Amino acid sequence: MIVSAVLILLLIFSISLAVILLFNQTDNTVEQKSSSSTLTKGTEETTNSMKKNEKQSAKNQEEVINDTISSMSIEEKVGQLFLARVPIEGQLESIEAYHLGGYLLFGRDVEMETSDSLKEKIKSYQSSSKLPLFIASDEEGGTVSRLSRGTDLVPAEFKAPQQVYQESGWEGIRSDIQEKAKVLHSYGIQGGLFPDADVSTDPEAFIYDRTLGLDAQQTSEYVKITVEELKKQKIASTLKHFPGYGNNRDSHVEIVYDTRSLDELRNNDFLPFKAGIAAGADSVLISHNIITSIDEAMPASISRPVHDILRNELGFQNVIMTDDMDMAGLADFISQKEAGLAALKAGNDLILSSSFQEQIPYVLQGIEEGVYTEKELNQSVYRVLKMKMDIGLINW
């Protein structure tokens, strides 16, 4: 009898314990679901808030740029589209008189300067400008580096991309860009006019030493890394020389005809440009080569079909700039006076000009005559100002 009673009590206790455990498990599951739901909701709210802030930020930037453009005269707008070679005389006066968008430094502008004197020179340029100037210098490395030719302006000469990659791979490329960016920032330079996105594997080709020297896939990786790192460092990236230089002759000294097919360009040379655009490139520089499969009549820099491919097929919406307008590949084809207007009509936003004193009045005349519309002008000014804002040159 006693044993039976004990067994019954044990059974009741076991059932009670099981019920308690079951309720605890249910409560924990509910709490976990509630916690998970709260966490998910919080994550969604944070993501939505970030997206909202990004949209608001973009909207605010757009409004600021449009307000700035509305307050500018036609002369001020046109001036913004010229990245001028620093004149020998009247450097400060030219900034004020022509409302220049920026100055491009060449060897003669740095070779006799010390670190302190170059900083002071660039500061004086900025002080003379109503809107901040975009200061650029060709700093690809190797054979193309202005600062490396100066008087102890850099800790060590900037190496060519090929050399950096061969010595230390992709991490070396990234470190090289970081160090280069520090130097450029220290002088008040916002653009190094690189990376070279040209695919060249022939050591005898003119452009080879300035490229990575590897195939389109490897070159695309180089371009992607470079653009990403420059974006972090707030230095403007410039992909060049669209549509791809290939193994052609030197357009600095002659008019160059590129007879490759459009399919060949699409399947090879366009690839690094696509990689750079996807990575957020700030600008693309157009060559002076005549690409016969796209436009057999005009150098690429003043060819509307070439620019249409870059805008519409590759989807690039940022700044398009010319190569130096003084190069024989263009200068032997069209007068310098006419070249600036021709480049803007083709779709460029920024003119690398040694003859801005002739070109700017001719552009103003073209606007007055309706050859180049104010709507087109405003679109290009917008892109230039946006680039300046994106790299922190203009605060908003």
Side-chain angles (χ1 to χ4, degrees):
M1 188 74 177
I2 295 173
V3 173
S4 297
V6 171
L7 289 173
I8 291 169
L9 288 173
L10 286 173
L11 180 61
I12 293 170
F13 177 76
S14 298
I15 293 171
S16 299
L17 182 61
V19 170
I20 291 169
L21 289 174
L22 179 62
F23 272 107
N24 283 342
Q25 186 177 10
T26 302
D27 288 345
N28 286 339
T29 301
V30 170
E31 286 178 7
Q32 286 174 0
K33 286 183 178 179
S34 176
S35 176
S36 176
S37 176
T38 301
L39 182 62
T40 301
K41 184 178 179 182
T43 302
E44 287 176 352
E45 287 177 352
T46 301
T47 302
N48 290 336
S49 177
M50 288 174 64
K51 288 180 178 178
K52 184 177 179 181
N53 288 339
E54 287 174 3
K55 288 181 180 178
Q56 187 65 40
S57 178
K59 183 180 178 182
N60 289 343
Q61 185 189 48
E62 183 178 347
E63 289 175 352
V64 171
I65 296 173
N66 285 331
D67 287 346
T68 302
I69 292 172
S70 297
S71 70
M72 297 168 70
S73 67
I74 294 291
E75 290 78 10
E76 287 172 332
K77 293 178 189 178
V78 171
Q80 281 300 302
L81 308 188
F82 282 79
L83 178 57
R85 182 170 185 172
V86 183
I88 295 175
E89 297 178 351
Q91 298 173 0
L92 304 185
E93 294 81 0
S94 293
I95 294 169
E96 296 175 0
Y98 294 98
H99 315 286
L100 298 172
Y103 263 160
L104 177 60
L105 305 177
F106 279 76
R108 74 185 185 198
D109 305 308
V110 302
E111 59 191 10
M112 301 303 293
E113 302 290 341
T114 65
S115 177
D116 288 339
S117 69
L118 180 57
K119 289 176 185 177
E120 287 305 312
K121 177 190 278 190
I122 292 174
K123 281 183 182 178
S124 73
Y125 295 159
Q126 293 289 12
S127 297
S128 299
S129 183
K130 182 177 177 181
L131 283 172
L133 291 167
F134 176 61
I135 305 295
S137 175
D138 270 303
E139 300 300 342
E140 296 172 17
T143 59
V144 181
S145 175
R146 312 305 182 200
L147 294 179
S148 292
R149 304 293 183 267
T151 309
D152 299 324
L153 296 177
V154 292
E157 289 190 8
F158 294 148
K159 297 177 181 178
Q162 279 187 40
Q163 184 179 352
V164 175
Y165 179 74
Q166 289 164 5
E167 290 175 355
S168 46
W170 298 128
E171 281 310 307
I173 292 290
R174 198 177 293 278
S175 297
D176 179 68
I177 296 165
Q178 292 169 355
E179 292 303 313
K180 197 180 290 186
K182 289 179 185 177
V183 174
L184 295 178
H185 276 304
S186 73
Y187 290 113
I189 297 171
Q190 300 84 34
L193 299 190
F194 70 95
D196 196 311
D198 296 306
V199 179
S200 179
T201 55
D202 180 1
E204 299 301 316
F206 158 71
I207 204 70
Y208 176 79
D209 290 339
R210 298 169 58 182
T211 71
L212 191 67
L214 298 175
D215 63 21
Q217 284 69 35
Q218 296 286 80
T219 302
S220 296
E221 183 66 16
Y222 161 65
V223 168
K224 174 178 176 291
I225 289 172
T226 303
V227 170
E228 289 175 347
E229 195 57 47
L230 287 174
K231 190 168 287 294
K232 291 178 191 174
Q233 305 301 327
K234 294 289 185 179
I235 294 289
S237 54
T238 303
L239 313 180
K240 60 187 189 185
H241 308 77
F242 189 79
Y245 209 95
N247 296 324
N248 288 286
R249 295 164 67 90
D250 183 2
S251 60
H252 289 82
V253 298
E254 63 181 317
I255 295 174
V256 173
Y257 288 85
D258 184 339
T259 59
R260 289 174 297 168
S261 71
L262 185 52
D263 282 343
E264 185 178 352
L265 292 170
R266 282 175 172 147
N267 295 328
N268 190 63
D269 295 71
F270 284 7
L271 300 182
F273 289 96
K274 286 183 175 180
I277 291 168
D282 298 291
S283 61
V284 172
L285 182 147
I286 309 291
S287 80
H288 295 314
N289 296 349
I290 297 175
I291 318 298
T292 57
S293 61
I294 303 175
D295 185 346
E296 61 184 11
M298 295 286 183
S301 54
I302 58 172
S303 165
R304 187 75 201 193
V306 169
H307 290 76
D308 285 344
I309 285 177
L310 181 55
R311 288 284 187 221
N312 302 326
E313 184 175 327
L314 274 66
F316 183 65
Q317 297 305 316
N318 292 331
V319 171
I320 299 178
M321 67 174 74
T322 69
D323 207 340
D324 184 357
M325 303 289 272
D326 217 23
M327 292 165 57
L330 184 71
D332 289 352
F333 187 90
I334 187 174
S335 75
Q336 285 295 291
K337 180 179 179 180
E338 299 171 297
L341 179 58
L344 292 175
K345 286 171 60 180
N348 290 285
D349 304 302
L350 200 56
I351 311 298
L352 272 60
S353 172
S354 299
S355 305
F356 61 89
Q357 301 94 333
E358 297 177 78
Q359 292 169 346
I360 288 176
Y362 195 77
V363 171
L364 290 169
Q365 181 183 327
I367 294 171
E368 189 175 333
E369 295 172 352
V371 176
Y372 177 58
T373 68
E374 191 169 356
K375 180 181 178 182
E376 292 171 308
L377 171 65
N378 289 345
Q379 287 174 338
S380 288
V381 175
Y382 183 96
R383 293 188 187 106
V384 171
L385 294 182
K386 182 179 183 300
M387 180 178 74
K388 289 184 176 184
M389 286 186 175
D390 287 344
I391 59 176
L393 187 56
I394 297 177
N395 295 320
W396 55 281

